[in-house]
Amino acid sequence: MPPRQCPGCDAAPSERADHYAGCPLKDVPLAQVAGLRFEEAEAKAEQWRARNE
């Protein structure tokens, strides 16, 4: 997997603006989680969700 892709769906911010359908991280901006390991992305997503509720 190239380093700047979503670990949940492999979407690359350089190629598209949003996650692929069905991605478990789809409610978090793609740029926030691209390039992270899935565990790191989940933790960052939780922080993002908490700040943006």
Side-chain angles (χ1 to χ4, degrees), residues 6-8 19 23-34 36-53:
C6 173
H19 296 270
C23 180
L25 303 168
K26 68 183 173 201
D27 61 325
V28 178
L30 180 55
Q32 295 290 316
V33 295
L36 301 177
R37 289 183 299 130
F38 191 77
E39 296 80 17
E40 295 170 328
E42 283 185 314
K44 186 156 189 152
E46 288 300 320
Q47 294 171 354
W48 189 90
R49 291 174 186 131
R51 284 192 303 256
N52 293 288
E53 288 184 336

